[in-house]
Amino acid sequence: MHRVLIADADPLRACHLEADLEDLGIKAISVVSGEMAVAFCREYDLDLVLLDLEMGDARDAVRLLGENEMTARIPIMGILADGGGITENGLCKVLDGSILRMELAQELQKYLRREEGLAGCQQAAVKLEASYVKISAKDLGENPVSLLLQLSEQILGLAENLKASVTSFGPDGPEMFEFVEKSSNQMHQCLVRIAAHEPDQQASRLRDREVRHDFRNILASIRGFTDLILMEDGIPEEEAAAL
């Protein structure tokens, strides 16, 4: 369960937001000052801080949290009257204070899910890179289908984790990503069918002209649509690395 700290000078508003977040499956707790927020962040493991920037010590809290190695990793989202669209140092986002409370809760949920997806992408990317390092020509010669299956499973994992970020892939990104995902599944299913044969038949199946032709087409689809997505402006660095 995600854990959110709400730092708001209005305890009633914070209490209602806590309840809304709880309804969305997010554990929330509130404090009434930036000083208390800093102290709380130093004691507890949190996924996000929502900070009322109209509190007198709010920006001091942002600075102190950023200077501390233990708390600098915690993303801070600010909320400010007429603040939608502006940016401030140390904050991942600034929301407009006039936003409806339930919309605010949903905005926090969306951000947490996105960060969770990015973390999954990064972990999968590390695993995928490690698997390439481990695979040698000798390994491929001894058990190619098993190793290819491992790689295709990791590609599927990357695709699954990237789903949460398709809206950042440009106007045509979601549709193009569907082709990437579909081709990734198709490639994996082809390998599963080959793996169902006896070991001595698997290598010959991989050398089959039609099978190799199918794999080339599938890989071209994955690579081609991925390259098209990467040509879009503004794709976040983590998603681009996973792609």
Side-chain angles (χ1 to χ4, degrees):
M1 178 181 285
H2 290 117
R3 296 167 296 277
V4 172
L5 176 68
I6 305 165
D8 193 330
D10 183 344
L12 182 60
R13 180 172 62 180
C15 181
H16 286 310
L17 182 56
E18 279 186 47
D20 290 336
L21 289 172
E22 292 281 354
D23 289 341
L24 295 174
I26 298 169
K27 178 65 178 176
I29 192 166
S30 60
V31 295
V32 294
S33 70
E35 181 181 7
M36 292 177 68
V38 172
F40 200 92
C41 288
R42 288 174 177 171
E43 292 293 327
Y44 298 96
D45 186 21
L46 298 166
D47 298 301
L48 180 66
V49 173
L50 178 67
L51 190 65
D52 174 11
L53 296 178
E54 295 183 22
M55 292 190 302
D57 60 352
R59 287 169 178 79
D60 286 337
V62 174
R63 177 180 56 79
L64 290 170
L65 290 171
E67 290 174 352
N68 186 290
E69 185 177 349
M70 292 179 60
T71 58
R73 64 165 190 80
I74 305 173
I76 307 170
M77 191 177 291
I79 186 164
L80 180 68
D82 300 320
I86 71 170
T87 57
E88 290 199 22
N89 290 336
L91 301 175
C92 62
K93 191 170 186 177
V94 178
L95 298 171
D96 188 338
S98 64
I99 189 173
L100 295 176
R101 200 181 69 236
M102 195 60 204
E103 290 179 357
L104 173 58
Q106 291 170 346
E107 185 72 26
L108 298 182
Q109 182 189 47
K110 187 195 308 181
Y111 178 85
L112 289 166
R113 284 181 173 175
R114 180 178 176 276
E115 289 301 298
E116 186 176 51
L118 291 179
C121 286
Q122 290 173 319
Q123 292 171 4
V126 169
K127 291 179 182 178
L128 184 59
E129 182 180 353
S131 69
Y132 277 118
V133 173
K134 292 176 184 175
I135 295 175
S136 66
K138 179 175 179 291
D139 292 329
L140 280 171
E142 290 179 352
N143 197 358
V145 175
S146 176
L147 291 170
L148 291 171
L149 270 172
Q150 290 178 39
L151 290 174
S152 70
E153 286 169 0
Q154 289 169 347
I155 290 171
L156 287 177
L158 284 168
E160 181 65 26
N161 286 322
L162 279 165
K163 273 186 182 180
S165 306
V166 292
T167 55
S168 68
F169 296 167
D172 298 321
E175 183 179 0
M176 288 191 289
F177 187 74
E178 282 186 17
F179 287 106
V180 174
E181 187 179 19
K182 180 179 178 180
S183 297
S184 300
N185 278 293
Q186 187 180 359
M187 177 174 62
H188 184 70
Q189 290 304 314
C190 286
L191 286 167
V192 168
R193 287 194 294 271
I194 292 173
H197 288 78
E198 294 297 324
D200 59 340
Q201 297 176 325
Q202 293 177 9
S204 63
R205 287 295 299 161
L206 280 179
R207 289 193 296 270
D208 182 87
R209 179 174 294 183
E210 289 188 12
V211 171
R212 293 171 69 87
H213 176 74
D214 288 344
F215 274 126
R216 278 195 295 271
N217 287 340
I218 294 169
L219 288 168
S221 176
I222 295 172
R223 181 61 184 270
F225 282 107
T226 301
D227 284 345
L228 285 173
I229 294 171
L230 287 170
M231 290 172 67
E232 295 288 334
D233 293 328
I235 296 181
E237 184 178 343
E238 292 87 351
E239 283 93 333
L243 284 165

